[in-house]
Amino acid sequence: MTEAGGIEVGDNGSLGPLRRAETLSDRATDLLRERILAGDFGLGERLVEAKIAKRLEISRGPVREALRQLRAEGLVREEPRRGSFVIDLTIEDVREIYDLRAAIEGRAARLIITSKDLAALDELREILHQLERAADEGDRTLFTKLDLAFHERLCLLSGNGRLHRVFVSYAAVLGLIFRLEVDKIYTSRSSLEDLYGDHEKLFRAIESLDARRAEEACDEHLDRAREQLIKVFGGSLAKSERAADARPGA
């Protein structure tokens, strides 16, 4: 096996898998994504390329590539002649995203049930147990990650690759929404336990192997989450977050 321009070439001339090393732009992307999802940058906040590069002690090129990747993930938007900003989320955005989730996650639950995939149920059950522990310990950061993992795994285990890819395309934005939800709504251990209870109810419906019941449970679970966000944040999630917690620029 020889290399040609970084691409593995087999002895018969066929292409082999790429061997990809993590670059500075990869690391900058991961760090910025992590910091946005953690709330260190507020919704609608400007991301100043030069300042970020200075903080990370790297050139502006990797930062520019990182911001380009985060735009592709939906976490960052660009305004001509103004620069890059963390996305603003409106109530209409939340409605549309949760309507889409209800469609694909309800379908995912049905596909798991019709396939009678007991191993899939075991995987979801294990994440549910981890959610319970995170709620018991009041670990909101871990709970947020596990919440996203539960719903992503539900879509993956459906066996429908396109359905899963739709979910993944919104994963970064959903991580941001989940963080807002946990930070602003589920602020106590008891409220986290209530949120765990909602996930347990959803899982029990899927575990029952009643497809109609599972789809209805998905709709109920996501409708409740959507309406709670709308009730708490009013017309604009970005305005509400900035008013509650003004942050310095990047």
Side-chain angles (χ1 to χ4, degrees):
M1 181 82 68
T2 59
E3 292 186 14
I7 301 175
E8 294 282 357
V9 181
D11 294 335
N12 61 358
S14 63
L15 295 180
L18 288 169
R19 295 191 300 187
R20 181 177 178 277
E22 187 179 48
T23 65
L24 278 177
S25 63
D26 294 329
R27 293 167 64 187
T29 301
D30 291 342
L31 180 59
L32 285 172
R33 184 191 301 110
E34 178 183 320
R35 299 277 48 91
I36 291 171
L37 295 179
D40 292 349
F41 296 106
L43 295 182
E45 185 170 333
R46 188 182 179 194
L47 299 169
V48 182
E49 189 179 288
K51 290 184 178 180
I52 293 171
K54 184 177 180 179
R55 287 187 182 185
L56 298 180
E57 299 182 351
I58 59 177
S59 68
R60 293 174 65 172
V63 176
R64 192 175 302 118
E65 288 297 319
L67 293 175
R68 183 178 293 116
Q69 174 60 33
L70 294 175
R71 286 197 297 273
E73 295 177 11
L75 279 181
V76 170
R77 61 180 171 82
E78 185 175 14
E79 294 188 10
R81 297 181 297 280
R82 291 195 65 210
S84 297
F85 297 80
V86 178
I87 59 166
D88 290 316
L89 283 168
T90 67
I91 293 305
E92 189 59 31
D93 291 328
V94 172
R95 285 198 178 100
E96 290 180 359
I97 290 170
Y98 274 70
D99 284 346
L100 176 63
R101 287 187 63 196
I104 65 173
E105 292 185 39
R107 186 64 178 178
R110 174 175 284 275
L111 288 171
I112 289 172
I113 289 169
T114 55
S115 69
K116 295 182 171 57
D117 188 349
L118 300 184
L121 295 179
D122 288 340
E123 286 195 46
L124 291 173
R125 187 181 294 107
E126 175 54 32
I127 299 175
L128 187 71
H129 290 331
Q130 294 177 46
L131 271 171
E132 183 177 24
R133 288 195 292 271
D136 288 344
E137 295 168 4
D139 190 334
R140 296 189 299 163
T141 299
L142 178 58
F143 193 99
T144 301
K145 292 179 180 178
L146 291 169
D147 191 347
L148 183 60
F150 180 89
H151 292 280
E152 184 273 334
R153 186 62 51 168
L154 172 65
C155 293
L156 176 64
L157 294 170
S158 73
N160 185 318
R162 287 181 171 81
L163 184 154
H164 179 244
R165 285 195 291 277
V166 170
F167 184 93
V168 169
S169 71
Y170 285 94
V173 176
L174 286 174
L176 185 55
I177 292 174
F178 286 10
R179 191 267 299 171
L180 289 171
E181 188 179 39
V182 171
D183 280 357
K184 307 296 183 180
I185 301 174
Y186 300 100
T187 57
S188 65
R189 180 175 298 182
S190 62
S191 61
L192 273 187
E193 290 171 350
D194 289 341
L195 183 54
Y196 160 74
D198 287 346
H199 286 81
E200 182 183 33
K201 182 177 180 181
L202 172 57
F203 174 74
R204 297 306 173 202
I206 298 171
E207 187 183 40
S208 73
L209 300 182
D210 182 329
R212 182 173 179 179
R213 177 185 167 189
E215 288 179 324
E216 290 174 351
C218 279
D219 284 347
E220 182 181 338
H221 178 81
L222 295 169
D223 285 350
R224 181 163 50 250
R226 180 190 62 210
E227 293 311 310
Q228 284 178 321
L229 280 166
I230 292 172
K231 180 179 179 181
V232 169
F233 292 104
S236 169
L237 299 183
K239 289 179 182 178
S240 298
E241 185 178 56
R242 287 198 291 268
D245 186 15
R247 296 178 175 86

